[in-house]
Amino acid sequence: MNDMQREALAILAEVWALSPDVRLGQLMAHLGFLGESHLGKGLGYIEDDELIASLYRHRAELTARLQGMPAPALQPTGAATSVSGSSKLPKVRGG
């Protein structure tokens, strides 16, 4: 197991701890939904770094919800957004 896989499992455990009533299968299904929604990929096609980014995003959302705060603003979704949230679209000049 490499460092990235260990990080993914650690953050998965943190996310699961924030939702103790959620079964592991439900959490995996939810991660699949997040992959489709944010990356346009099914869970089986998400790279480890993309999964980690989704897990961190989900952890932030759960933490904010538990603290009664508004959820962090989401970056635009789809193929035009990288895992880091930076746009992959070309910049328009003079706009």
Side-chain angles (χ1 to χ4, degrees):
M1 186 181 311
N2 64 38
D3 288 342
M4 189 175 295
Q5 292 166 332
R6 278 192 265 298
E7 181 180 2
L9 290 175
I11 191 70
L12 177 64
E14 289 180 31
V15 167
W16 200 9
L18 291 170
S19 304
D21 295 335
V22 173
R23 295 184 311 274
L24 182 57
Q26 288 175 302
L27 180 55
M28 296 307 238
H30 188 72
L31 291 173
F33 170 76
L34 290 175
E36 290 283 341
S37 176
H38 296 292
L39 302 168
K41 298 179 184 180
L43 188 57
Y45 299 98
I46 296 173
E47 298 294 331
D48 289 348
D49 65 327
E50 295 170 323
L51 177 62
I52 290 169
S54 292
L55 284 164
Y56 278 117
R57 178 185 296 127
H58 190 45
R59 184 184 69 177
E61 292 168 352
L62 290 171
T63 301
R65 186 179 310 147
L66 290 171
Q67 294 175 350
M69 299 167 48
L74 294 177
Q75 298 295 322
T77 60
T81 305
S82 72
V83 173
S84 67
S86 62
S87 176
K88 292 182 183 174
L89 296 175
K91 294 185 181 195
V92 178
R93 295 180 185 238

